[in-house]
Amino acid sequence: MTELEECRSALDELDEVMAGLFEQRMDYCKRIGDFKKANNLPVFQPQREKEIIEKKSALIKNENYKKYYARFIQNVMDLSKELQSEE
């Protein structure tokens, strides 16, 4: 197996793990969305999003990856808000 094939195989395995984690995260986001609707709370809470991005980006050890992770987590939160906004 070439280095390229090894890297792709490793990414395939990571993608499988991430898919399961994504589903779990969205399940919790749906529950949060249901709670927000039941309690007349806004789906979008900009200050909380800012805090989450800062806090979670601090977990990234490689400084070169932090800006990409911030975008990644923002995209995930955007999808979560979209789910929470659905009926």
Coordinates of all heavy atoms in Angstrom, one line a residue:
M1 N 0.9 -1.2 0.0 CA 0.0 0.0 0.0 C 0.9 1.2 0.0 O 1.8 1.3 0.8 CB -0.9 0.0 1.2 CG -1.9 1.1 1.3 SD -3.0 1.1 2.7 CE -4.1 -0.3 2.4
T2 N 0.6 2.2 -0.9 CA 1.4 3.4 -0.9 C 1.0 4.3 0.2 O 0.0 4.2 0.9 CB 1.1 4.2 -2.3 OG1 -0.2 4.7 -2.3 CG2 1.4 3.3 -3.5
E3 N 1.8 5.3 0.4 CA 1.5 6.3 1.5 C 0.2 7.0 1.2 O -0.6 7.2 2.2 CB 2.7 7.3 1.6 CG 2.5 8.3 2.7 CD 3.6 9.3 2.8 OE1 4.6 9.2 2.1 OE2 3.4 10.3 3.6
L4 N -0.1 7.3 0.0 CA -1.3 8.0 -0.4 C -2.5 7.1 0.0 O -3.5 7.5 0.6 CB -1.4 8.3 -1.9 CG -2.6 8.9 -2.4 CD1 -2.9 10.2 -1.7 CD2 -2.6 9.1 -3.9
E5 N -2.4 5.8 -0.4 CA -3.5 4.8 0.0 C -3.7 4.7 1.5 O -4.8 4.6 2.0 CB -3.2 3.5 -0.7 CG -3.3 3.5 -2.2 CD -2.8 2.2 -2.9 OE1 -1.8 1.6 -2.3 OE2 -3.3 1.9 -3.9
E6 N -2.6 4.7 2.2 CA -2.6 4.6 3.7 C -3.3 5.8 4.3 O -4.2 5.6 5.2 CB -1.2 4.4 4.3 CG -0.6 3.1 4.0 CD 0.9 3.0 4.5 OE1 1.3 3.9 5.3 OE2 1.5 2.0 4.2
C7 N -3.0 6.9 3.8 CA -3.6 8.2 4.3 C -5.1 8.2 3.9 O -5.9 8.6 4.8 CB -2.9 9.4 3.7 SG -1.3 9.7 4.3
R8 N -5.4 7.8 2.7 CA -6.9 7.7 2.4 C -7.6 6.7 3.2 O -8.8 7.0 3.6 CB -7.0 7.5 0.9 CG -6.6 8.6 0.0 CD -6.7 8.4 -1.4 NE -6.5 9.6 -2.2 CZ -6.3 9.6 -3.5 NH1 -6.3 8.4 -4.2 NH2 -6.1 10.7 -4.2
S9 N -7.0 5.6 3.5 CA -7.7 4.6 4.3 C -7.9 5.1 5.7 O -9.0 4.9 6.3 CB -6.8 3.3 4.3 OG -7.4 2.3 5.1
A10 N -6.9 5.8 6.2 CA -7.0 6.4 7.6 C -8.1 7.4 7.6 O -8.9 7.5 8.5 CB -5.7 7.0 8.0
L11 N -8.2 8.3 6.6 CA -9.3 9.2 6.5 C -10.7 8.6 6.4 O -11.6 9.1 7.0 CB -9.1 10.2 5.3 CG -8.0 11.2 5.4 CD1 -7.8 12.0 4.1 CD2 -8.3 12.2 6.6
D12 N -10.7 7.5 5.6 CA -12.0 6.8 5.6 C -12.5 6.3 6.9 O -13.7 6.4 7.3 CB -11.9 5.6 4.6 CG -11.8 5.9 3.2 OD1 -12.2 7.1 2.8 OD2 -11.4 5.1 2.4
E13 N -11.5 5.8 7.7 CA -11.9 5.3 9.1 C -12.3 6.5 10.0 O -13.3 6.4 10.7 CB -10.7 4.6 9.7 CG -10.4 3.3 9.1 CD -9.1 2.6 9.7 OE1 -8.8 2.9 10.8 OE2 -8.6 1.8 8.9
L14 N -11.6 7.6 9.9 CA -11.9 8.8 10.6 C -13.3 9.4 10.2 O -14.1 9.8 11.1 CB -10.9 9.9 10.5 CG -9.6 9.7 11.2 CD1 -8.5 10.7 10.7 CD2 -9.7 9.7 12.7
D15 N -13.6 9.3 8.9 CA -14.9 9.8 8.4 C -16.0 9.0 9.0 O -17.1 9.5 9.3 CB -14.9 9.8 6.9 CG -14.1 10.9 6.3 OD1 -13.8 11.9 7.0 OD2 -13.8 10.8 5.1
E16 N -15.8 7.7 9.1 CA -16.8 6.8 9.7 C -17.1 7.2 11.2 O -18.3 7.3 11.6 CB -16.4 5.3 9.6 CG -16.5 4.8 8.2 CD -16.1 3.3 8.1 OE1 -16.4 2.6 9.1 OE2 -15.6 2.9 7.1
V17 N -16.0 7.4 11.9 CA -16.2 7.8 13.3 C -16.9 9.2 13.4 O -17.8 9.4 14.2 CB -14.8 7.9 14.0 CG1 -14.9 8.5 15.4 CG2 -14.2 6.5 14.1
M18 N -16.5 10.1 12.5 CA -17.1 11.4 12.5 C -18.5 11.4 12.2 O -19.3 12.2 12.7 CB -16.3 12.4 11.6 CG -14.9 12.7 12.2 SD -13.9 13.7 11.0 CE -14.9 15.1 10.7
A19 N -18.9 10.5 11.3 CA -20.3 10.4 10.9 C -21.2 10.0 12.1 O -22.3 10.6 12.3 CB -20.5 9.4 9.7
G20 N -20.7 9.0 12.9 CA -21.4 8.6 14.1 C -21.5 9.8 15.1 O -22.6 10.0 15.7
L21 N -20.4 10.5 15.3 CA -20.4 11.6 16.2 C -21.3 12.7 15.7 O -22.0 13.4 16.5 CB -19.0 12.1 16.4 CG -18.1 11.1 17.1 CD1 -16.6 11.7 17.1 CD2 -18.5 10.9 18.5
F22 N -21.3 12.9 14.4 CA -22.2 14.0 13.8 C -23.7 13.6 14.1 O -24.4 14.5 14.5 CB -22.0 14.1 12.3 CG -22.9 15.1 11.6 CD1 -22.6 16.5 11.7 CD2 -24.0 14.7 10.9 CE1 -23.4 17.4 11.1 CE2 -24.8 15.6 10.3 CZ -24.5 16.9 10.4
E23 N -24.1 12.4 13.9 CA -25.4 12.0 14.2 C -25.8 12.2 15.7 O -26.9 12.7 16.0 CB -25.7 10.5 13.8 CG -25.8 10.3 12.3 CD -26.2 8.9 12.0 OE1 -25.5 8.0 12.3 OE2 -27.3 8.8 11.3
Q24 N -24.9 11.8 16.5 CA -25.1 12.1 18.0 C -25.3 13.5 18.3 O -26.2 13.9 19.0 CB -24.0 11.5 18.8 CG -23.9 10.0 18.8 CD -22.7 9.5 19.6 OE1 -22.4 10.0 20.7 NE2 -22.0 8.5 19.1
R25 N -24.4 14.4 17.7 CA -24.5 15.8 17.9 C -25.8 16.4 17.4 O -26.5 17.2 18.1 CB -23.3 16.5 17.2 CG -23.2 18.0 17.6 CD -22.0 18.6 16.9 NE -21.6 19.8 17.6 CZ -22.3 21.0 17.6 NH1 -23.5 21.1 17.0 NH2 -21.8 22.0 18.2
M26 N -26.2 15.9 16.3 CA -27.5 16.5 15.7 C -28.7 16.0 16.5 O -29.7 16.7 16.7 CB -27.6 16.1 14.2 CG -26.6 16.7 13.3 SD -26.6 18.5 13.3 CE -27.8 18.8 12.1
D27 N -28.6 14.8 17.1 CA -29.7 14.3 18.0 C -29.9 15.3 19.1 O -31.0 15.7 19.5 CB -29.4 12.9 18.5 CG -29.6 11.8 17.4 OD1 -30.3 12.1 16.4 OD2 -29.1 10.7 17.6
Y28 N -28.7 15.7 19.7 CA -28.8 16.6 20.9 C -29.2 18.0 20.4 O -30.0 18.6 21.1 CB -27.4 16.7 21.6 CG -27.2 15.5 22.5 CD1 -26.3 14.5 22.2 CD2 -27.9 15.4 23.7 CE1 -26.0 13.4 23.0 CE2 -27.7 14.3 24.5 CZ -26.8 13.3 24.2 OH -26.6 12.2 25.0
C29 N -28.8 18.4 19.3 CA -29.2 19.7 18.7 C -30.7 19.7 18.5 O -31.4 20.7 18.8 CB -28.5 20.0 17.4 SG -26.8 20.4 17.7
K30 N -31.3 18.6 18.0 CA -32.7 18.5 17.8 C -33.4 18.7 19.2 O -34.4 19.4 19.3 CB -33.1 17.2 17.2 CG -34.5 16.9 17.0 CD -35.1 17.8 15.9 CE -36.5 17.4 15.6 NZ -37.5 18.4 16.0
R31 N -32.9 18.0 20.2 CA -33.5 18.1 21.5 C -33.5 19.5 22.0 O -34.4 20.0 22.6 CB -32.9 17.1 22.5 CG -33.2 15.7 22.2 CD -32.4 14.7 23.0 NE -32.6 14.9 24.4 CZ -32.0 14.2 25.4 NH1 -31.1 13.3 25.0 NH2 -32.2 14.4 26.6
I32 N -32.3 20.2 21.8 CA -32.2 21.6 22.3 C -33.2 22.4 21.5 O -33.8 23.3 22.1 CB -30.7 22.0 22.1 CG1 -29.8 21.3 23.1 CG2 -30.6 23.6 22.2 CD1 -28.3 21.5 22.8
G33 N -33.3 22.2 20.2 CA -34.2 23.0 19.4 C -35.7 22.8 19.9 O -36.4 23.8 20.0
D34 N -36.0 21.6 20.3 CA -37.4 21.3 20.8 C -37.6 22.1 22.1 O -38.6 22.7 22.3 CB -37.6 19.8 21.0 CG -37.6 19.0 19.7 OD1 -37.8 19.7 18.6 OD2 -37.5 17.8 19.8
F35 N -36.5 22.1 23.0 CA -36.6 22.9 24.2 C -36.8 24.4 23.9 O -37.6 25.0 24.6 CB -35.4 22.6 25.1 CG -35.4 23.3 26.4 CD1 -36.0 22.8 27.5 CD2 -34.8 24.6 26.5 CE1 -36.0 23.5 28.7 CE2 -34.8 25.3 27.7 CZ -35.4 24.8 28.8
K36 N -36.0 24.9 23.0 CA -36.0 26.3 22.7 C -37.4 26.7 22.2 O -38.0 27.7 22.6 CB -35.0 26.7 21.7 CG -33.6 26.7 22.2 CD -32.6 27.0 21.1 CE -31.1 27.1 21.6 NZ -30.2 27.4 20.5
K37 N -38.0 25.9 21.3 CA -39.3 26.1 20.8 C -40.4 26.1 21.9 O -41.2 27.0 22.0 CB -39.7 25.1 19.7 CG -39.1 25.3 18.4 CD -39.5 24.2 17.4 CE -38.6 24.3 16.2 NZ -38.8 23.2 15.3
A38 N -40.3 25.1 22.8 CA -41.2 25.0 23.9 C -41.1 26.2 24.9 O -42.1 26.5 25.5 CB -41.0 23.7 24.6
N39 N -40.0 26.8 24.9 CA -39.8 27.8 25.9 C -39.6 29.2 25.2 O -39.1 30.1 25.9 CB -38.5 27.5 26.8 CG -38.8 26.3 27.7 OD1 -39.5 26.5 28.7 ND2 -38.4 25.1 27.3
N40 N -39.9 29.3 24.0 CA -39.9 30.6 23.2 C -38.5 31.2 23.3 O -38.4 32.4 23.5 CB -40.9 31.5 23.7 CG -42.3 31.0 23.4 OD1 -42.6 30.5 22.3 ND2 -43.2 31.2 24.4
L41 N -37.5 30.4 23.1 CA -36.1 30.9 23.1 C -35.6 31.0 21.6 O -36.0 30.2 20.8 CB -35.2 30.0 23.9 CG -35.5 29.8 25.4 CD1 -34.7 28.7 26.0 CD2 -35.2 31.1 26.1
P42 N -34.7 31.9 21.3 CA -34.2 32.0 20.0 C -33.3 30.9 19.6 O -32.5 30.4 20.5 CB -33.5 33.4 20.0 CG -33.1 33.6 21.4 CD -34.1 33.0 22.2
V43 N -33.3 30.5 18.4 CA -32.4 29.4 17.9 C -31.0 30.0 17.9 O -30.0 29.4 18.3 CB -32.8 28.9 16.5 CG1 -31.7 28.1 15.9 CG2 -34.1 28.1 16.6
F44 N -30.8 31.2 17.4 CA -29.5 31.8 17.2 C -29.2 32.6 18.4 O -29.9 33.6 18.8 CB -29.5 32.7 15.9 CG -28.2 33.4 15.7 CD1 -27.0 32.7 15.7 CD2 -28.1 34.7 15.4 CE1 -25.8 33.3 15.4 CE2 -26.9 35.4 15.1 CZ -25.8 34.7 15.2
Q45 N -28.1 32.3 19.0 CA -27.6 33.0 20.2 C -26.1 33.4 19.9 O -25.2 32.6 20.2 CB -27.7 32.2 21.5 CG -29.2 31.9 21.8 CD -29.3 31.0 23.0 OE1 -28.5 30.1 23.3 NE2 -30.5 31.1 23.6
P46 N -25.9 34.6 19.3 CA -24.5 34.9 18.8 C -23.4 34.9 19.9 O -22.3 34.4 19.6 CB -24.7 36.3 18.2 CG -26.1 36.8 18.5 CD -26.8 35.6 19.0
Q47 N -23.7 35.4 21.0 CA -22.7 35.4 22.1 C -22.3 34.0 22.5 O -21.1 33.7 22.6 CB -23.2 36.2 23.3 CG -22.1 36.3 24.4 CD -20.8 37.0 23.9 OE1 -20.9 38.0 23.1 NE2 -19.7 36.6 24.4
R48 N -23.2 33.1 22.6 CA -22.9 31.7 22.9 C -22.1 31.1 21.8 O -21.1 30.4 22.1 CB -24.2 30.9 23.1 CG -23.9 29.4 23.3 CD -24.9 28.7 24.2 NE -24.7 27.3 24.2 CZ -23.8 26.6 24.9 NH1 -22.9 27.3 25.6 NH2 -23.7 25.3 24.8
E49 N -22.4 31.3 20.5 CA -21.6 30.8 19.4 C -20.2 31.3 19.5 O -19.2 30.5 19.3 CB -22.2 31.1 18.1 CG -23.4 30.3 17.7 CD -23.8 30.4 16.3 OE1 -23.0 30.9 15.5 OE2 -24.9 30.0 16.0
K50 N -20.0 32.5 19.7 CA -18.7 33.1 19.8 C -17.9 32.4 20.9 O -16.7 32.1 20.7 CB -18.8 34.6 20.1 CG -17.5 35.3 20.2 CD -17.7 36.9 20.4 CE -16.4 37.6 20.3 NZ -15.8 37.9 21.6
E51 N -18.5 32.2 22.1 CA -17.8 31.6 23.2 C -17.5 30.1 22.9 O -16.4 29.7 23.2 CB -18.7 31.6 24.4 CG -18.9 33.0 25.0 CD -20.0 33.1 26.1 OE1 -20.6 32.0 26.4 OE2 -20.3 34.2 26.5
I52 N -18.3 29.4 22.2 CA -18.1 28.0 21.8 C -16.9 28.0 20.9 O -16.0 27.1 21.0 CB -19.3 27.4 21.2 CG1 -20.4 27.2 22.3 CG2 -19.0 26.1 20.5 CD1 -21.7 26.8 21.7
I53 N -16.9 28.8 19.9 CA -15.8 28.8 18.9 C -14.5 29.1 19.6 O -13.5 28.4 19.3 CB -16.1 29.8 17.7 CG1 -17.2 29.3 16.9 CG2 -14.8 30.0 16.9 CD1 -17.7 30.3 15.9
E54 N -14.4 30.1 20.4 CA -13.2 30.4 21.2 C -12.8 29.2 22.0 O -11.6 28.8 22.0 CB -13.4 31.7 22.0 CG -13.5 32.9 21.1 CD -13.8 34.1 21.9 OE1 -13.9 34.1 23.2 OE2 -14.0 35.2 21.3
K55 N -13.7 28.7 22.8 CA -13.4 27.6 23.7 C -12.9 26.3 23.0 O -11.9 25.7 23.4 CB -14.6 27.3 24.6 CG -14.4 26.3 25.7 CD -15.6 26.1 26.5 CE -15.5 25.0 27.5 NZ -16.7 24.8 28.3
K56 N -13.6 26.0 22.0 CA -13.3 24.7 21.3 C -12.1 24.9 20.4 O -11.3 23.9 20.3 CB -14.5 24.3 20.4 CG -15.8 24.0 21.2 CD -15.5 23.0 22.4 CE -16.8 22.9 23.2 NZ -16.6 22.1 24.4
S57 N -11.8 26.1 19.9 CA -10.6 26.3 19.1 C -9.4 26.2 20.0 O -8.3 25.8 19.5 CB -10.7 27.6 18.4 OG -11.7 27.7 17.4
A58 N -9.5 26.5 21.2 CA -8.4 26.4 22.2 C -7.9 25.0 22.4 O -6.8 24.7 22.8 CB -8.8 27.1 23.5
L59 N -8.8 24.0 22.0 CA -8.4 22.6 22.2 C -7.5 22.1 21.1 O -6.8 21.1 21.2 CB -9.7 21.7 22.1 CG -10.8 22.0 23.2 CD1 -12.0 21.2 22.9 CD2 -10.2 21.6 24.6
I60 N -7.4 22.9 20.0 CA -6.6 22.5 18.9 C -5.1 22.9 19.2 O -4.8 24.1 19.4 CB -7.1 23.2 17.6 CG1 -8.5 22.8 17.3 CG2 -6.2 22.9 16.4 CD1 -8.8 21.3 17.1
K61 N -4.2 22.0 19.2 CA -2.8 22.2 19.6 C -2.0 22.8 18.4 O -1.2 23.6 18.6 CB -2.2 20.9 20.0 CG -2.8 20.4 21.3 CD -2.2 19.0 21.7 CE -2.8 18.5 23.0 NZ -4.1 18.0 23.0
N62 N -2.3 22.4 17.2 CA -1.6 22.9 16.1 C -2.1 24.3 15.7 O -3.2 24.4 15.2 CB -1.7 21.9 14.9 CG -0.8 22.3 13.7 OD1 -0.7 23.5 13.4 ND2 -0.3 21.3 13.0
E63 N -1.3 25.3 15.9 CA -1.8 26.7 15.6 C -2.2 26.9 14.2 O -3.1 27.7 13.9 CB -0.7 27.7 16.0 CG -0.5 27.8 17.5 CD -1.6 28.4 18.2 OE1 -2.3 29.3 17.7 OE2 -1.9 28.0 19.4
N64 N -1.6 26.1 13.3 CA -1.9 26.3 11.9 C -3.4 25.8 11.6 O -3.9 26.1 10.5 CB -0.9 25.5 11.0 CG 0.4 26.1 11.0 OD1 0.6 27.3 11.1 ND2 1.4 25.3 11.0
Y65 N -3.9 24.9 12.4 CA -5.2 24.3 12.2 C -6.4 25.1 12.9 O -7.5 24.9 12.6 CB -5.3 22.9 12.7 CG -4.3 22.0 12.0 CD1 -3.9 20.8 12.5 CD2 -3.7 22.3 10.7 CE1 -3.1 19.9 11.9 CE2 -2.8 21.4 10.1 CZ -2.5 20.2 10.7 OH -1.6 19.4 10.1
K66 N -6.0 26.0 13.8 CA -7.1 26.6 14.6 C -8.1 27.4 13.8 O -9.3 27.3 14.0 CB -6.5 27.6 15.6 CG -5.9 26.8 16.8 CD -5.5 27.8 17.9 CE -4.8 26.9 19.0 NZ -5.1 27.4 20.3
K67 N -7.6 28.1 12.8 CA -8.6 28.9 11.9 C -9.5 28.0 11.1 O -10.7 28.3 10.9 CB -7.9 29.9 11.0 CG -7.0 29.3 9.9 CD -6.3 30.3 9.1 CE -5.5 29.6 8.0 NZ -4.8 30.6 7.2
Y68 N -9.0 26.8 10.7 CA -9.8 25.9 10.0 C -10.8 25.2 10.9 O -11.9 25.0 10.5 CB -8.9 24.8 9.3 CG -7.9 25.4 8.3 CD1 -6.6 25.4 8.6 CD2 -8.4 26.0 7.1 CE1 -5.7 26.0 7.7 CE2 -7.5 26.5 6.2 CZ -6.2 26.6 6.5 OH -5.3 27.1 5.6
Y69 N -10.4 24.9 12.1 CA -11.3 24.3 13.1 C -12.4 25.3 13.4 O -13.6 24.9 13.6 CB -10.6 23.8 14.4 CG -11.6 23.1 15.3 CD1 -11.9 21.8 15.0 CD2 -12.1 23.8 16.4 CE1 -12.9 21.2 15.8 CE2 -13.0 23.1 17.2 CZ -13.4 21.8 16.9 OH -14.3 21.2 17.6
A70 N -12.1 26.6 13.6 CA -13.1 27.6 13.9 C -14.1 27.6 12.8 O -15.3 27.7 13.1 CB -12.4 29.0 14.1
R71 N -13.7 27.5 11.6 CA -14.6 27.5 10.4 C -15.5 26.2 10.4 O -16.7 26.2 10.2 CB -13.9 27.6 9.1 CG -13.5 29.0 8.9 CD -12.6 29.3 7.6 NE -12.9 28.5 6.5 CZ -12.1 28.3 5.5 NH1 -10.8 28.7 5.5 NH2 -12.4 27.6 4.5
F72 N -14.8 25.1 10.8 CA -15.5 23.8 10.8 C -16.6 23.8 11.9 O -17.7 23.4 11.6 CB -14.4 22.7 11.2 CG -15.0 21.4 11.5 CD1 -15.5 20.5 10.5 CD2 -15.1 20.9 12.8 CE1 -16.1 19.3 10.8 CE2 -15.7 19.7 13.1 CZ -16.1 18.9 12.1
I73 N -16.3 24.3 13.1 CA -17.3 24.3 14.1 C -18.4 25.3 13.8 O -19.5 25.0 14.1 CB -16.6 24.5 15.5 CG1 -17.6 24.0 16.6 CG2 -16.2 25.9 15.8 CD1 -17.8 22.5 16.7
Q74 N -18.0 26.4 13.2 CA -19.1 27.3 12.7 C -20.0 26.7 11.7 O -21.2 26.8 11.8 CB -18.5 28.6 12.1 CG -19.5 29.6 11.7 CD -20.2 30.2 12.8 OE1 -19.7 30.9 13.7 NE2 -21.5 30.0 12.9
N75 N -19.5 25.9 10.8 CA -20.3 25.2 9.8 C -21.2 24.2 10.5 O -22.4 24.1 10.1 CB -19.5 24.5 8.8 CG -18.8 25.5 7.8 OD1 -19.3 26.6 7.6 ND2 -17.7 25.1 7.2
V76 N -20.7 23.5 11.5 CA -21.5 22.5 12.2 C -22.6 23.2 13.0 O -23.7 22.8 13.0 CB -20.6 21.7 13.2 CG1 -21.4 20.8 14.1 CG2 -19.6 20.8 12.4
M77 N -22.3 24.3 13.6 CA -23.3 25.1 14.3 C -24.4 25.6 13.3 O -25.6 25.7 13.7 CB -22.7 26.2 15.2 CG -22.0 25.6 16.4 SD -21.5 26.9 17.6 CE -20.3 27.8 16.6
D78 N -24.0 26.0 12.2 CA -24.9 26.5 11.2 C -25.9 25.4 10.8 O -27.1 25.6 10.7 CB -24.2 27.1 9.9 CG -23.5 28.4 10.2 OD1 -23.8 29.0 11.2 OD2 -22.7 28.7 9.3
L79 N -25.4 24.2 10.6 CA -26.3 23.1 10.3 C -27.2 22.8 11.5 O -28.4 22.4 11.3 CB -25.4 21.8 10.0 CG -24.6 21.9 8.7 CD1 -23.6 20.7 8.6 CD2 -25.6 21.9 7.5
S80 N -26.6 22.9 12.7 CA -27.5 22.7 13.9 C -28.6 23.7 14.0 O -29.7 23.3 14.3 CB -26.6 22.8 15.1 OG -25.6 21.8 15.1
K81 N -28.3 24.9 13.7 CA -29.4 26.0 13.7 C -30.4 25.7 12.6 O -31.6 25.9 12.9 CB -28.8 27.4 13.5 CG -28.0 27.9 14.7 CD -27.5 29.3 14.4 CE -26.5 29.3 13.3 NZ -25.6 30.5 13.2
E82 N -30.0 25.2 11.5 CA -30.9 24.9 10.4 C -31.8 23.7 10.9 O -33.1 23.8 10.7 CB -30.1 24.4 9.2 CG -31.0 24.2 8.0 CD -30.1 23.8 6.7 OE1 -29.0 24.3 6.6 OE2 -30.6 23.1 5.9
L83 N -31.3 22.7 11.5 CA -32.1 21.6 12.0 C -33.1 22.1 13.1 O -34.2 21.8 13.1 CB -31.2 20.5 12.6 CG -31.9 19.4 13.3 CD1 -32.6 18.5 12.3 CD2 -30.9 18.5 14.1
Q84 N -32.6 23.0 14.0 CA -33.4 23.5 15.1 C -34.6 24.4 14.5 O -35.6 24.5 15.2 CB -32.6 24.3 16.1 CG -31.7 23.4 16.9 CD -30.8 24.2 17.8 OE1 -30.9 25.4 18.0 NE2 -29.9 23.5 18.5
S85 N -34.4 25.0 13.4 CA -35.4 25.9 12.8 C -36.4 25.1 12.1 O -37.5 25.7 11.7 CB -34.7 26.9 11.9 OG -33.8 27.7 12.6
E86 N -36.2 23.9 11.7 CA -37.2 23.1 11.0 C -38.4 22.7 12.0 O -38.2 22.6 13.2 CB -36.6 21.8 10.5 CG -35.6 22.1 9.4 CD -34.9 20.8 8.9 OE1 -35.2 19.7 9.5 OE2 -34.2 20.9 7.9
E87 N -39.5 22.5 11.4 CA -40.7 22.1 12.2 C -40.6 20.7 12.5 O -40.2 19.9 11.9 CB -42.0 22.4 11.4 CG -42.2 23.9 11.3 CD -42.8 24.6 12.5 OE1 -43.3 23.8 13.4 OE2 -42.8 25.8 12.6

